Amino acid sequence: GAVVSQHPSRVICKSGTSVKIECRSLDFQATTMFWYRQFPKQSLMLMATSNEGSKATYEQGVEKDKFLINHASLTLSTLTVTSAHPEDSSFYICSARERTINEKLFFGSGTQLSVL
Amino acid sequence: SQQGEEDPQALSIQEGENATMNCSYKTSINNLQWYRQNSGRGLVHLILIRSNEREKHSGRLRVTLDTSKKSSSLLITASRAADTASYFCGTGANSKLTFGKGITLSVRP
């Protein structure tokens, strides 16, 4: 089956630094990738949708300058949390939609971000 | 924005029993999908039902969809301890998938 690899799985950083999270589709081409954020025992909140080669579409209330998303190729999307603050601490999950299977999503294993 | 809403929030059953989880949503959808999440991990796709379908089966899973009531149910038959996880319904519309808060299922051995 289709595999999405997300790295790192866990990151601890100091307040004010930037953190980059990578999401790769290993054995398929992802036309669209989605970034979600999840708080403990809460729903996944969609942050943004990225299509290869175009700008990401952000959900209402998500700061695009804070959460930079780049979808440079059909197999790689990155989320950079800029000038991280403790309130950015959360579980971030990416997912990808394959070109041919246009409805089902394949998820990465998530990144636990802790900002000190 | 969050659309699907699952209930109950938590469910605890004995191994071998059936588990029924419900999902309600608010606006029109193209499809509804159920996913499973183990603690601290990503989501794994379980089953997808399209808006013009009423019932689907996959192994021990059975999902129904009632678009007139804007609701869906997921039935896991003959539950196993390994089914312990959080379950989310995702509603698909406008090429996006939005999720509810999930249901925590505990299956006691």
Side-chain angles (χ1 to χ4, degrees), chain A residues 26-105:
Chain A
L26 296 187
D27 49 3
F28 68 98
Q29 293 185 324
T31 52
T32 307
M33 286 187 171
F34 302 88
W35 287 94
Y36 291 86
R37 182 175 179 175
Q38 185 181 32
F39 292 101
K41 298 188 179 181
Q42 293 292 315
S43 175
L44 282 79
M45 300 301 296
L46 179 63
M47 298 174 66
T49 303
S50 73
N51 294 293
E52 184 262 339
S54 61
K55 288 184 180 179
T57 302
Y58 290 81
E59 294 299 301
Q60 194 172 12
V62 178
E63 300 175 60
K64 56 183 71 177
D65 294 331
K66 173 81 173 166
F67 299 100
L68 299 179
I69 291 170
N70 185 283
H71 193 161
S73 75
L74 281 170
T75 60
L76 174 65
S77 177
T78 60
L79 166 68
T80 301
V81 183
T82 62
S83 187
H85 290 144
E87 56 264 32
D88 297 327
S89 297
S90 190
F91 191 61
Y92 294 87
I93 312 176
C94 71
S95 67
R97 174 178 288 147
E98 187 176 5
R99 187 194 292 272
T100 55
I101 306 175
N102 209 25
E103 292 161 321
K104 186 164 119 175
L105 294 185

Side-chain angles (χ1 to χ4, degrees), chain A residues 34 36 38 42-46 49 59 91 93 97 103-105 107-109, chain B residues 2 31 33 35 37 40-43 45 48 50 88 95-97 99-101:
Chain A
F34 302 88
Y36 291 86
Q38 185 181 32
Q42 293 292 315
S43 175
L44 282 79
M45 300 301 296
L46 179 63
T49 303
E59 294 299 301
F91 191 61
I93 312 176
R97 174 178 288 147
E103 292 161 321
K104 186 164 119 175
L105 294 185
F107 281 81
S109 54
Chain B
Q2 179 180 321
N31 63 70
Q33 305 178 39
Y35 287 79
Q37 183 183 35
R41 307 290 293 175
L43 275 67
H45 182 268
L48 179 154
R50 301 183 200 287
F88 293 86
S95 299
K96 295 190 295 189
L97 203 60
F99 295 90
K101 290 187 178 181

Side-chain angles (χ1 to χ4, degrees), chain A residues 11-17 84-89 113-116:
Chain A
V11 59
I12 301 171
C13 69
K14 291 183 179 178
S15 196
T17 60
H85 290 144
E87 56 264 32
D88 297 327
S89 297
L113 171 63
S114 300
V115 184
L116 306 178

